[in-house]
Amino acid sequence: MGREAPLEVRLVSWRDHYVGLWAYDAQGRGTYELDLRLLDDPTRLWPRRTVHRQYTGPEMAELDEACPRITVELFPGGKGRRTEQPQGERGPMYVTVPRSRDDERWVDRPVFGEWPLLSGQVHGLTEPLVFEITEPAAAAADGGELAPTTCWCPPRPAQPGPIGELFRPGVRVTDGYHPEMTIVEPRRIGTLRVPSGLLAISGPDIDHEDGPHLTVPVPPGEYALEEARARHGYHCMWEGSEVTRTDTMAVRVLVSEAPATSWRMALRPDDDLRLFVEDEISGFATDGATGCFADAGAWEPLLALFERGLIQGDPDLHPDAYEDISDSMYLLRTRDQATGGELAAFATTGDGTYPVWVGRSQAGEVVAVVVLVEGMPELLPDDGTTTSA
């Protein structure tokens, strides 16, 4: 066709249930992105996400923030959203619900070598096209070596990062704002009773008609509540000198003293990792910068005590049922007198969705449940540069 830029690129990883497709215009700019997922039916693909960029002229750069675009995201069960941005990322945004049934959304899975050419349809091409097929570099047989940074990888949900290190004194990290922070001894605030054996993690300020957002099975018992803290120095404009402060990085329920050898993000009942896009998170939502750990078996009475004490300010609550916690990211604790189950509420640094990380031992047993109250920090090696965990 006399052009150096590709018409279309497809990246396929059936092991990861993923097909990515990109179409390009005559200037080599990406105009269409299509994210397809292989779910339970091996003959069909689900169009998880589609992006259509409409460049205003040949002089507009690829991925220009001002480029008009339409993004459609679809989820099984009739859910989805269509986002139109006629002036690009910084202009107005119009969000609607796609008007189509699930059975109209599926795409037939082509057999190998018979993929329809989206870019051919877009450009109205009729002449034969040249295909170039490449195989990814083979990984080490034992999986011990990482793929090169230039090697393509399918989308992955958010990864845990150095969670265990946040509770290890002496470890050096950065949060991106403070160049160097040093982890200090975890602070133990108290304990949480979970007699039902089901730990709830949720935003207590959100409508809970279906119960808590997340639950994690643990052995019935009483577990330590702790804060991960980091000390750092900075120049205080008001004092005109260097000052040192200690900030809370995360809160956790310590289920066991055994070390965590793996960390996984806790999922809601309807979550499907096969549909997650790059760095997507699942977790509990809050509109009041508040989360909580609680005994799921006594969720309703514990939540009612939380609302009476913190929201309504009921002065008649018995101290055995409601307790304020001072000088901590933990705010309060409520106790259900009938079951002995407890709820401990903690502050976050803002509204939104917070992932919950579950640490497991070598034997696969839950040893800790952690919530980062802000973002995921990066480890600092001995030479002071950042490193991925």
Side-chain angles (χ1 to χ4, degrees), residues 78-211:
K79 301 177 183 179
R81 56 180 171 265
R82 181 183 186 274
T83 304
E84 185 173 356
Q85 297 170 281
Q87 298 175 26
E89 293 181 8
R90 299 186 178 181
M93 177 186 299
Y94 307 100
V95 181
T96 57
V97 178
R99 301 296 182 184
S100 59
R101 304 187 309 270
D102 274 12
D103 58 357
E104 298 173 325
R105 297 176 173 181
W106 290 96
V107 176
D108 290 336
R109 178 184 178 183
V111 298
F112 183 78
E114 297 183 11
W115 283 83
L117 193 65
L118 172 64
S119 55
Q121 302 172 22
V122 172
H123 297 289
L125 304 177
T126 57
E127 44 186 291
L129 302 173
V130 176
F131 293 89
E132 180 179 335
I133 301 176
T134 60
E135 293 290 340
D142 60 358
E145 294 184 12
L146 296 176
T149 56
T150 56
C151 181
W152 170 78
C153 293
R156 297 192 306 166
Q159 300 300 300
I163 294 178
E165 285 81 354
L166 297 181
F167 296 86
R168 191 176 304 158
V171 171
R172 297 163 56 249
V173 300
T174 177
D175 61 1
Y177 180 73
H178 303 99
E180 182 176 334
M181 310 172 76
T182 302
I183 302 299
V184 299
E185 193 71 29
R187 184 183 182 193
R188 184 159 295 190
I189 301 302
T191 60
L192 182 76
R193 296 173 183 171
V194 189
S196 71
L198 191 61
L199 176 66
I201 311 95
S202 196
D205 56 331
I206 298 291
D207 182 22
H208 291 85
E209 293 183 359
D210 297 325

Side-chain angles (χ1 to χ4, degrees), residues 1-10 21-33 117-132:
M1 290 189 58
R3 58 179 280 166
E4 296 182 0
L7 275 172
E8 183 169 313
V9 173
R10 304 182 196 126
L21 188 151
W22 291 262
Y24 299 86
D25 64 10
Q27 283 75 38
R29 301 172 299 187
T31 54
Y32 284 90
E33 295 179 20
L117 193 65
L118 172 64
S119 55
Q121 302 172 22
V122 172
H123 297 289
L125 304 177
T126 57
E127 44 186 291
L129 302 173
V130 176
F131 293 89
E132 180 179 335

Side-chain angles (χ1 to χ4, degrees), residues 39-326:
L39 301 180
D40 296 327
D41 186 343
T43 67
R44 301 190 298 176
L45 300 172
W46 181 261
R48 169 66 176 83
R49 187 171 185 266
T50 305
V51 181
H52 179 203
R53 292 184 174 85
Q54 301 166 304
Y55 296 98
T56 57
E59 73 287 345
M60 178 173 276
E62 185 178 25
L63 305 182
D64 192 306
E65 290 185 352
C67 178
R69 72 201 65 191
I70 297 174
T71 303
V72 179
E73 296 183 274
L74 300 178
F75 305 92
K79 301 177 183 179
R81 56 180 171 265
R82 181 183 186 274
T83 304
E84 185 173 356
Q85 297 170 281
Q87 298 175 26
E89 293 181 8
R90 299 186 178 181
M93 177 186 299
Y94 307 100
V95 181
T96 57
V97 178
R99 301 296 182 184
S100 59
R101 304 187 309 270
D102 274 12
D103 58 357
E104 298 173 325
R105 297 176 173 181
W106 290 96
V107 176
D108 290 336
R109 178 184 178 183
V111 298
F112 183 78
E114 297 183 11
W115 283 83
L117 193 65
L118 172 64
S119 55
Q121 302 172 22
V122 172
H123 297 289
L125 304 177
T126 57
E127 44 186 291
L129 302 173
V130 176
F131 293 89
E132 180 179 335
I133 301 176
T134 60
E135 293 290 340
D142 60 358
E145 294 184 12
L146 296 176
T149 56
T150 56
C151 181
W152 170 78
C153 293
R156 297 192 306 166
Q159 300 300 300
I163 294 178
E165 285 81 354
L166 297 181
F167 296 86
R168 191 176 304 158
V171 171
R172 297 163 56 249
V173 300
T174 177
D175 61 1
Y177 180 73
H178 303 99
E180 182 176 334
M181 310 172 76
T182 302
I183 302 299
V184 299
E185 193 71 29
R187 184 183 182 193
R188 184 159 295 190
I189 301 302
T191 60
L192 182 76
R193 296 173 183 171
V194 189
S196 71
L198 191 61
L199 176 66
I201 311 95
S202 196
D205 56 331
I206 298 291
D207 182 22
H208 291 85
E209 293 183 359
D210 297 325
H213 294 151
L214 298 160
T215 56
V216 177
V218 297
E222 184 172 355
Y223 302 113
L225 295 170
E226 295 185 335
E227 295 180 359
R229 302 182 301 154
R231 182 175 294 126
H232 62 92
Y234 67 100
H235 181 79
C236 179
M237 182 177 63
W238 304 110
E239 297 187 13
S241 62
E242 290 291 316
V243 298
T244 299
R245 61 175 289 164
T246 301
D247 292 334
T248 297
M249 309 290 287
V251 293
R252 76 172 173 183
V253 175
L254 185 62
V255 178
S256 169
E257 295 291 346
T261 58
S262 67
W263 293 92
R264 294 289 180 87
M265 183 166 54
L267 301 176
R268 296 192 184 197
D270 294 336
D271 285 337
D272 187 341
L273 283 176
R274 298 173 300 179
L275 292 168
F276 278 40
V277 297
E278 182 71 15
D279 288 329
E280 183 173 348
I281 63 170
S282 181
F284 68 85
T286 173
D287 287 338
T290 308
C292 73
F293 298 120
D295 179 17
W299 175 250
E300 293 297 337
L302 290 171
L303 188 62
L305 289 168
F306 168 87
E307 293 174 346
R308 285 179 58 191
L310 186 66
I311 309 301
Q312 302 170 13
D314 187 344
D316 298 325
L317 281 173
H318 194 280
D320 287 342
Y322 182 92
E323 170 192 4
D324 284 315
I325 301 174
S326 60

